Amino acid sequence: MVPQLQSPKRLEALRSPEKENSFPGLEFGSFQRKCAEISASLSQPSLGDRVRAEAARSGDVPLPSTSTVLTWSPSFVLAERSPLQDCTLSPEAPKQRHSPQRAQRAPAPPTPAPLVSGALGVPRAPRWCLPEFEDLRRKMQTSISALQRSNAQQAEMQALRRGESFKEEAQEAKRSKDRHHHKWCAAQAAERAARGAERSALEEAAARGLAALARELLGCRGTEKLRGVLLRRGTQSYLDADVSASQSFEDRQPKLHNTLQQLSQSTERPSLQPGLLSDMSEMYAWIARAISDSRLTVAWKDARDGPEVHERAADERVAQLEKKLAQKELAVASLEHEKRSLRSEVRALQNLVQELRGSIRVFCRIRPPREPTAGGAGTEAQGSRSISLRKPAGDKRHDFSFDRVFSQEASQRDLYEEVEPLIPGVLQGIHVCIFAYGQTGAGKTYTLAGNKRMGEPGIQDLAIADLLKLAAVDGARFDVRLSALEIYNESIQDLLSELRGDPNGPQETSERLEVRQSREDLSASWPSPFGSMRVPGLKSWPVREPPDVEQALQRIASQRHVASTALNERSSRSHCVLSLSVRPAGGSISEEGRREATGVLHIVDLAGSERTKISQAEGMQMKEANCINRSLSALSDVLYALGDSTGNAHIPFRNSKLTYLLQDALGGPGCKTFLLAQVSPDSADVNESYSTLTFASRVAANVQKGRLRPLSRGERGSPASRSCDASPRLRSQDSEPSLPSPVLRARGVAPPLPGLGRKPSSCSITNELRIRS
Ligand SMILES: Nc1ncnc2c1ncn2[C@@H]1O[C@H](COP(=O)(O)OP(=O)(O)OP(=O)(O)O)[C@@H](O)[C@H]1O
């Protein structure tokens, strides 16, 4: 029920304290007390019996037991049809009447009626009544009436209060609605303003665009109309507007096209120039017609093909390509890194192989025969490692073993394959020395220098080409220089010096040079290729490309002393030492004042040993032959002394210019020596071949395999690290074995044990090189 709204005056009257206290009988506490009095009266047994007797007399249904009556009594007093009024019971009462004991044991109290119930009616007159109750009943009726009134007033007051709060809520809701309405209105206004501004901007842009268009088209036939429209609509300012002159009509057109399209879709009312915009589409259509009629020639462009779109697409493409490029560069860098590490690993393994092979290796090569062999005498290859020599009938066969034997069919490339693995080591500072030894005419020059006329390259051509290639592959971080000298009749001459005299006539001999043993001159632009030995005045040519080398080799060939003998048409009459030095670019000197590692490749073409009787040498040639034989003999003395088992032998380096100059290269620390014994298969040369093979096999068999040891910093940069009287081998015994490379360490290759080299085992790895006793 919706409470009736009361006037504030009425509400106030209801709230007043006098009104609340104007019903003294209505106090709930006193009402309860009255009920307690009735209960007390009923609890008297005599009274209960009287009630029952009275009820029986009047013919009413007998009342329940006294205890039940007592339990029920407070409710009965207030019930609408109380037994005190008409003795009717609640629905549960008859059941209890038939089993009074059960009711006594567990009386089920009826649902109590509300103490203050709106359903309380005026009590009817009872058919029977005890006189003691009459007064009480009257009082109670008065109380109930007062209570009912009070109840009604309280209900009214509650309704009034509720109505009041409803009213406040309604007012608050109204206020809130008003607030929201204001906000909503403001938002609507702002949106309208934004749309209007957008529209104005579009109109402004369209007007400017059209004005610019008109300005460009002025002078064209029929554009007066357009201009007229613009002027009529008050857009003179647009005609005079500062429209960028750099913007061509073709650039502006797509923008204008878009603007007009947006304007046509806009639902806002035109604001800027009323009437102008309605003409815009007409004007635009007019322009389009003018163009389609070829009255105007304008290259219309679709907005999608606009320059911005192209530019954006191009930017995106560039960004994509740049990203791809960066990824590729990253991949290349990692591959480069991998390549470098693999290359260094390969080098380390190659070094290991060479170390295990020994620091001096002896090969033998048989040149093709000059004439068909007769009687089985002469030399013959027996497999790849041995050679046999048969002297004329009656003498026994001699067999010799070498690291490798090349038969007369072997090619230059076959020979080079044995040298090739050591070439990369030159870039790491290793000294490689290749000697060609043998009798005159046995093919030494042919093996080393090749045959230019036949287009046959020699070992030196192949090695130098490979070295230059490797130096370039490593990022051109190496400087390469070439020097060449000859030792002719125990005097040293520079083979790269300027030719003197008439080029077509007899040449003057170049200046004679001397060998010096001294401290390394760190101020010199290029270190000596001979280590502690230096040849002041010796020229060195920088070489980068094969043509540079070709030019240098031509000069060397033209300067070298050759003569025709009975055994060789072009017999070399001198020892030729060609040296190729390689060092890191810039030639830096380390912090310790030492020069960075310089690798050297020496190619030594020795003059051929000859028996003057057979070569029929006379005069100058006789003198040359004697000098050649003496220096070769000095070379064998040095090699034998180096292999002395006691290690105390005097090494006669000073006995010839050749050994004195090459003492660092002759199996010194960090050196790798190849001795190439050239022999002839001819029976006529059998004695010379025998002596060559004997010498070479003595070196090969008696010289213990040594380990390749890179020069330490001290040895590399130190001045005259050994005297000519001290054995470099003895010195290296005391030195610490070099640490293996990280790759070898990773592969579990242990460094050689100190002193291991002193064991006479041929397979031991050692720093020593000595002749077995
Ligand atoms: N393996 C070979 N194949 C073809 N021809 C060869 C071979 N070896 C040498 N010859 C030829 O033999 C001749 C002599 O060779 P070469 O000049 O190289 O001998 P050499 O040992 O240098 O002599 P010398 O000590 O007198 O200078 C040359 O004509 C050369 O072409």
Side-chain angles (χ1 to χ4, degrees):
M1 190 181 87
V2 180
Q4 288 296 314
L5 292 179
Q6 299 289 331
S7 67
K9 204 172 165 187
R10 170 85 179 130
L11 203 64
E12 204 52 42
L14 283 171
R15 274 186 189 151
S16 68
E18 303 92 73
K19 289 282 177 195
E20 282 181 2
N21 295 333
S22 61
F23 309 105
L26 283 182
E27 198 200 348
F28 184 64
S30 66
F31 179 73
Q32 271 189 323
R33 277 194 297 277
K34 294 279 183 215
C35 290
E37 273 177 41
I38 294 169
S39 298
S41 307
L42 289 173
S43 65
Q44 294 168 13
S46 55
L47 185 63
D49 293 342
R50 282 174 62 199
V51 168
R52 268 189 293 275
E54 190 63 34
R57 194 178 54 76
S58 63
D60 280 347
V61 180
L63 279 174
S65 67
T66 307
S67 58
T68 309
V69 169
L70 285 177
T71 312
W72 290 356
S73 60
S75 304
F76 292 160
V77 170
L78 293 175
E80 189 178 6
R81 294 180 66 76
S82 162
L84 296 178
Q85 292 171 333
D86 56 11
C87 288
T88 52
L89 295 173
S90 61
E92 290 82 14
K95 289 181 195 167
Q96 293 176 0
R97 194 168 49 209
H98 294 297
S99 56
Q101 294 81 9
R102 192 178 154 202
Q104 268 184 344
R105 262 186 276 125
T111 310
L115 198 59
V116 178
S117 164
L120 285 174
V122 179
R124 283 174 297 174
R127 279 179 292 177
W128 58 272
C129 189
L130 293 178
E132 295 95 319
F133 288 158
E134 194 54 40
D135 183 36
L136 179 63
R137 199 171 68 86
R138 261 201 312 278
K139 280 183 186 170
M140 280 185 69
Q141 273 182 346
T142 312
S143 295
I144 285 167
S145 306
L147 189 64
Q148 281 176 335
R149 276 201 305 280
S150 164
N151 221 9
Q153 278 187 352
Q154 276 186 3
E156 190 185 355
M157 202 161 71
Q158 278 178 358
L160 282 175
R161 280 196 194 120
R162 240 180 289 148
E164 205 177 357
S165 75
F166 276 139
K167 201 175 160 189
E168 278 173 9
E169 277 174 23
Q171 280 172 353
E172 179 58 37
K174 191 168 176 298
R175 277 198 297 277
S176 153
K177 185 185 161 195
D178 289 348
R179 272 202 305 274
H180 279 101
H181 181 71
H182 285 316
K183 273 190 194 166
W184 181 79
C185 288
Q188 288 284 316
E191 199 181 319
R192 265 201 307 280
R195 278 207 301 272
E198 192 185 352
R199 168 85 190 192
S200 299
L202 281 173
E203 286 173 5
E204 176 91 16
R208 276 183 182 278
L210 279 172
L213 200 64
R215 214 161 50 171
E216 278 189 20
L217 298 180
L218 286 179
C220 296
R221 200 156 55 88
T223 51
E224 295 76 29
K225 184 185 173 188
L226 180 64
R227 185 180 167 79
V229 170
L230 290 167
L231 288 174
R232 203 167 52 243
R233 299 298 176 190
T235 50
Q236 177 63 47
S237 59
Y238 294 124
L239 283 175
D240 300 335
D242 178 26
V243 179
S244 168
S246 64
Q247 256 193 330
S248 72
F249 175 70
E250 288 179 19
D251 293 335
R252 266 197 305 271
Q253 189 274 332
K255 219 182 259 178
L256 180 61
H257 186 91
N258 273 347
T259 312
L260 288 176
Q261 210 170 16
Q262 283 176 24
L263 272 176
S264 69
Q265 288 164 358
S266 170
T267 54
E268 281 295 301
R269 278 190 306 115
S271 60
L272 188 69
Q273 297 291 335
L276 168 66
L277 295 169
S278 58
D279 295 332
M280 276 189 176
S281 56
E282 190 196 335
M283 283 189 280
Y284 201 63
W286 176 84
I287 292 165
R289 269 201 310 279
I291 289 166
S292 66
D293 296 348
S294 306
R295 280 181 287 140
L296 285 176
T297 45
V298 178
W300 296 95
K301 283 186 180 175
D302 192 340
R304 279 171 303 174
D305 299 332
E308 302 91 34
V309 178
H310 281 305
E311 217 169 281
R312 210 179 314 124
D315 286 350
E316 280 170 14
R317 183 91 185 115
V318 167
Q320 277 177 359
L321 288 174
E322 277 177 354
K323 193 176 163 192
K324 264 190 191 170
L325 185 67
Q327 285 171 348
K328 294 274 181 225
E329 278 174 353
L330 203 68
V332 167
S334 81
L335 285 174
E336 284 283 340
H337 177 74
E338 202 178 332
K339 189 173 134 195
R340 272 198 299 276
S341 63
L342 283 175
R343 191 181 292 159
S344 62
E345 196 173 340
V346 166
R347 277 182 195 161
L349 288 172
Q350 283 174 345
N351 286 348
L352 178 67
V353 169
Q354 294 306 323
E355 281 172 18
L356 294 172
R357 282 179 173 174
S359 65
I360 184 160
R361 301 189 71 203
V362 184
F363 304 135
C364 180
R365 185 181 193 185
I366 308 168
R367 52 151 287 168
R370 282 199 203 90
E371 57 208 33
T373 44
T379 54
E380 193 180 355
Q382 305 290 329
S384 63
R385 294 174 73 92
S386 34
I387 182 171
S388 64
L389 182 140
R390 270 184 206 281
K391 287 194 174 173
D395 200 357
K396 62 169 185 174
R397 169 181 146 162
H398 302 270
D399 290 319
F400 302 90
S401 292
F402 299 102
D403 289 299
R404 187 79 197 268
V405 172
F406 297 92
S407 68
Q408 34 198 284
E409 287 86 28
S411 70
Q412 301 281 80
R413 233 337 115 195
D414 293 338
L415 211 78
Y416 177 66
E417 275 173 13
E418 289 294 326
V419 180
E420 193 180 13
L422 272 180
I423 299 303
V426 176
L427 297 175
Q428 296 174 319
I430 288 173
H431 289 215
V432 177
C433 192
I434 303 170
F435 285 97
Y437 178 92
Q439 78 168 109
T440 181
K444 298 180 293 296
T445 308
Y446 175 86
T447 297
L448 295 181
N451 190 333
K452 299 286 178 285
R453 276 173 297 165
M454 304 279 290
E456 191 87 42
I459 286 177
Q460 69 186 28
D461 302 301
L462 298 170
I464 293 171
D466 274 3
L467 205 58
L468 289 181
K469 253 187 242 164
L470 285 171
V473 164
D474 276 5
R477 288 181 289 109
F478 293 95
D479 290 334
V480 186
R481 276 177 179 261
L482 191 123
S483 60
L485 57 83
E486 69 171 352
I487 302 171
Y488 175 71
N489 285 348
E490 283 301 283
S491 72
I492 297 174
Q493 290 176 10
D494 190 348
L495 291 176
L496 286 176
S497 64
E498 294 293 324
L499 294 172
R500 294 180 188 178
D502 181 7
N504 301 319
Q507 296 292 307
E508 287 180 29
T509 52
S510 58
E511 192 187 344
R512 295 179 67 173
L513 304 172
E514 287 302 325
V515 188
R516 300 253 187 276
Q517 185 177 37
S518 63
R519 291 179 174 276
E520 189 189 5
D521 182 7
L522 290 176
S523 62
S525 62
W526 196 263
S528 167
F530 306 104
S532 60
M533 309 309 294
R534 296 171 53 237
V535 183
L538 182 69
K539 288 189 173 51
S540 63
W541 283 17
V543 285
R544 273 195 174 278
E545 306 285 333
D548 304 338
V549 180
E550 193 55 42
Q551 196 186 350
L553 292 179
Q554 273 176 13
R555 174 162 298 189
I556 291 164
S558 64
Q559 296 244 46
R560 197 174 170 192
H561 281 89
V562 288
S564 177
T565 66
L567 293 172
N568 190 356
E569 205 180 300
R570 276 184 64 82
S571 175
S572 309
R573 311 311 293 163
S574 63
H575 306 303
C576 170
V577 182
L578 185 144
S579 304
L580 202 77
S581 314
V582 185
R583 71 168 180 179
S588 55
I589 293 172
S590 66
E591 284 174 7
E592 303 89 46
R594 313 226 181 270
R595 196 176 293 284
E596 290 298 316
T598 304
V600 186
L601 172 66
H602 292 295
I603 295 170
V604 185
D605 184 6
L606 296 170
S609 59
E610 63 182 71
R611 297 202 173 164
T612 44
K613 241 191 229 171
I614 297 173
S615 66
Q616 298 163 9
E618 287 175 350
M620 189 53 148
Q621 282 191 4
M622 173 72 86
K623 188 187 168 196
E624 288 168 357
N626 287 335
C627 280
I628 290 166
N629 288 340
R630 263 204 306 277
S631 63
L632 289 175
S633 166
L635 178 66
S636 25
D637 290 345
V638 164
L639 285 175
Y640 294 155
L642 282 172
D644 180 60
S645 60
T646 62
N648 296 322
H650 168 76
I651 301 169
F653 286 118
R654 282 183 182 268
N655 283 359
S656 76
K657 285 268 169 64
L658 180 73
T659 51
Y660 189 44
L661 179 70
L662 293 175
Q663 59 181 285
D664 275 4
L666 283 169
C671 293
K672 194 77 184 167
T673 305
F674 290 91
L675 183 66
L676 184 59
Q678 289 278 161
V679 290
S680 158
D682 299 336
S683 56
D685 299 322
V686 78
N687 288 329
E688 283 299 318
S689 298
Y690 181 78
S691 98
T692 301
L693 291 172
T694 307
F695 164 74
S697 67
R698 192 171 170 192
V699 172
N702 294 343
V703 175
Q704 199 171 11
K705 300 293 179 191
R707 189 172 72 84
L708 186 68
R709 183 168 70 85
L711 287 173
S712 69
R713 280 183 176 277
E715 287 165 338
R716 200 180 294 140
S718 69
S721 59
R722 67 181 83 122
S723 76
C724 58
D725 293 329
S727 162
R729 301 304 167 194
L730 287 176
R731 198 173 286 269
S732 66
Q733 276 178 16
D734 301 330
S735 63
E736 294 223 343
S738 62
L739 287 173
S741 67
V743 176
L744 301 184
R745 255 201 309 268
R747 285 169 185 268
V749 178
L753 295 171
L756 185 67
R758 287 172 194 159
K759 290 181 184 171
S761 163
S762 62
C763 63
S764 63
I765 300 172
T766 175
N767 289 341
E768 296 173 54
L769 177 74
R770 50 174 125 138
I771 305 288
R772 276 199 189 126
S773 54

